[in-house]
Amino acid sequence: MTGPKPLVVVGDVLLDEDIEGVATRLAPDAPAPVVDVTGDRRHPGGAGLAAALAARGGRDVVLVTALGDDPASETVRRALSGRVGLLELPLHGTLPVKTRVLAGGRPVVRIDRGGGTPGEPDDAVRGALAGAHAVLVADYGRHTAGAVRASLEDVARHTPVVWDPHPRGEPPVPGARVVTPSAAEAVALCPGSAGTSAMSLGAFAERGARLAERWRAAGVAVTLGDRGALLTRPGGGTPMLIPAPFRADGDPCGAGDCFAAATVAALADGLLPEEALQRAVAEAAAFVAAGGAGNPGLWHAPAVPGPAPDPAADAFGLAKAVRARGGTVVATGGCFDLVHAGHVGLLESARRIGDCLIVCLNSDASVTRRKGAGRPLTPAADRARVLAALGSVDAVVVFEEDTPEAVLERLRPDVWVKGGDYSVQELPEAEVLRTWGGQAVVLPYLDGRSTTRLARRAARAAAAAVRPPPG
């Protein structure tokens, strides 16, 4: 009996090198920053990164790529050993090395060197492609995809193929299930857009549809950074926008590889393209928030890590990170059973006080004890999701107690905010805040709005709707 079919990644591997440092002065002989180096790291990039990301969770992945006998190729082999299976094409030349110099986490300059030409595939490569469960082509314009194009054309007739294109690379083979250009790649591959701003959603929808027709692809998903991804089909029609679940502030290097790897893995799991892209957008956002390809834990962690936590939902990690960079942590709390204009105004005002706003949310049992039978009207998971969707809220944490003192002792916010007719002296949380130097404050509340009044009004309206008309 044979084992499950592997997921096969085809493409150009690079060696990525990040030299990190700090820049506090300019060179005396030129207006260029002087970077004092604090560390450096090297890891596979391009198709190598995509294959390693696809293999997370224990998935069987085979990488088809061109490697030589140069030091960069040896570094890649060692890094990928135990993570993915390697099927090598001969490389005539040296492996490309992409070096970024970063100061304070920001790229200052990038240096590219090396390069070669892939040789012909052997029977092992052709057999791996023919027996693949799904295929990802990570094309970086270095001709590996071209070397195996004939096999890829055959595979696309019966196997899901995701193609991550490059302006200097091969066009996707006909029948590709999803092609995943970035916004910049879509502009380079299809520069014209009639009647709309060059960077508008309409322009990208037009480009995506035209590219899908040109490539005879089932769909083109243009990645738009923190706006998510836009899925288009040949012939136009209404595109589907898959928004990012949260704004990810971090190094975007490698986000496209993560997006493509997550898409092909989801298709291999049997998801529809629309479902696969939702998963891919969420995974790419989490990848960027965790540090992108430069995240040391990506390569130092075990080859089969557990599910990655959603950094936007980790209220305690967020509070720690904001404090570490000298920011102000603001928290507020309540039941938020029916979010109304009064809540929104309070949260917007609270967010302006500091650098993040964390909402401490009463659990369902806690709301029932405080408000009585019949409450909450909305379960905690839904209340948390509504709050997290507000632009003023950075994270939500649910607590089980009647009052939030215990969760506040873990969060240790700098400012605790309440709205309404309280005075600071009446707030039981104020004393807790003082133990670490925090401050409780009261903000004005939009008068006449409350969940209880809304619920009573809705009950009266419902009763009136079912009351028989007077005879």
Side-chain angles (χ1 to χ4, degrees):
M1 179 182 293
T2 59
K5 293 181 178 181
L7 190 157
V8 177
V9 177
V10 177
D12 310 301
V13 172
L14 319 171
L15 180 62
D16 285 348
E17 180 180 38
D18 286 346
I19 300 174
E20 295 184 317
V22 294
T24 58
R25 64 193 190 280
L26 296 177
D29 54 342
V34 175
V35 178
D36 295 312
V37 175
T38 58
D40 62 83
R41 55 179 178 265
R42 310 174 91 197
H43 54 78
L49 174 61
L53 292 170
R56 291 189 298 180
R59 192 181 300 274
D60 186 12
V61 174
V62 172
L63 172 62
V64 175
T65 193
L67 294 173
D69 55 7
D70 55 294
S73 294
E74 288 300 324
T75 300
V76 165
R77 287 189 185 97
R78 288 194 301 271
L80 293 176
S81 177
R83 295 177 180 271
V84 302
L86 272 175
L87 285 177
E88 299 182 19
L89 279 64
L91 179 64
H92 307 300
T94 60
L95 195 74
V97 179
K98 181 179 72 177
T99 302
R100 296 191 306 166
V101 180
L102 301 100
R106 302 287 184 179
V108 175
V109 67
R110 194 181 105 181
I111 303 164
D112 291 1
R113 60 186 185 275
T117 304
E120 292 297 315
D122 58 16
D123 289 342
V125 170
R126 288 187 284 268
L129 286 168
H133 192 37
V135 175
L136 167 62
V137 179
D139 190 353
Y140 274 75
R142 303 281 181 166
H143 311 300
T144 301
V148 296
R149 185 174 184 88
S151 295
L152 290 170
E153 288 177 347
D154 291 337
V155 167
R157 296 188 180 101
H158 54 77
T159 301
V161 172
V162 173
W163 196 293
D164 192 9
H166 192 282
R168 297 193 304 272
E170 288 278 314
V173 296
R177 190 72 56 87
V178 182
V179 185
T180 61
S182 67
E185 289 164 345
V187 171
L189 290 161
C190 188
S193 61
T196 53
S197 168
M199 302 302 286
S200 70
L201 286 179
F204 284 117
E206 179 185 331
R207 287 190 183 97
R210 288 167 59 187
L211 289 170
E213 291 179 1
R214 181 197 305 174
W215 293 328
R216 289 184 283 167
V220 169
V222 182
T223 57
L224 303 173
D226 57 18
R227 286 196 288 174
L230 189 69
L231 175 62
T232 58
R233 306 282 189 182
T238 304
M240 173 179 284
L241 178 64
I242 300 99
F246 56 90
R247 184 180 180 86
D249 294 321
D251 187 351
C253 182
D257 298 302
C258 180
F259 179 84
T263 300
V264 74
L267 291 177
D269 290 341
L271 272 65
L272 296 172
E274 294 83 357
E275 298 169 320
L277 292 172
Q278 289 183 54
R279 180 192 292 183
V281 167
E283 289 195 18
F287 174 82
V288 170
N295 175 15
L298 184 66
W299 298 100
H300 296 161
V304 186
D310 178 354
D314 183 2
F316 303 104
L318 173 64
K320 182 178 179 181
V322 171
R323 278 197 301 271
R325 62 175 183 258
T328 298
V329 179
V330 182
T332 189
C335 301
F336 296 96
D337 201 359
L338 290 177
V339 175
H340 51 71
H343 291 138
V344 172
L346 171 70
L347 295 170
E348 289 175 342
S349 298
R351 181 61 178 83
R352 288 193 290 268
I353 294 173
D355 299 287
C356 73
L357 174 62
I358 298 169
V359 176
C360 301
L361 184 67
N362 292 77
S363 70
D364 292 343
S366 176
V367 174
T368 301
R369 289 193 298 269
R370 291 190 59 191
K371 302 293 185 179
R375 299 284 299 274
L377 303 171
T378 309
D382 290 354
R383 289 184 280 131
R385 183 171 182 180
V386 169
L387 289 167
L390 298 177
S392 56
V393 176
D394 296 286
V396 180
V397 58
V398 178
F399 64 92
E400 295 292 339
E401 299 80 12
D402 291 344
T403 56
E405 284 94 331
V407 73
L408 288 176
E409 287 178 352
R410 289 186 62 195
L411 283 172
R412 299 176 71 84
D414 301 289
V415 182
W416 171 252
V417 173
K418 290 294 286 186
D421 299 328
Y422 298 97
S423 70
V424 171
Q425 290 75 21
E426 293 172 341
L427 292 177
E429 303 89 353
E431 185 61 35
V432 178
L433 268 289
R434 280 192 284 269
T435 62
W436 57 81
Q439 177 63 53
V441 299
V442 175
L443 294 182
Y445 200 71
L446 193 60
D447 190 36
R449 274 77 170 182
S450 78
T451 299
T452 300
R453 290 182 183 180
L454 286 173
R456 288 173 179 168
R457 190 186 309 160
R460 287 195 298 268
V466 300
R467 189 180 302 128

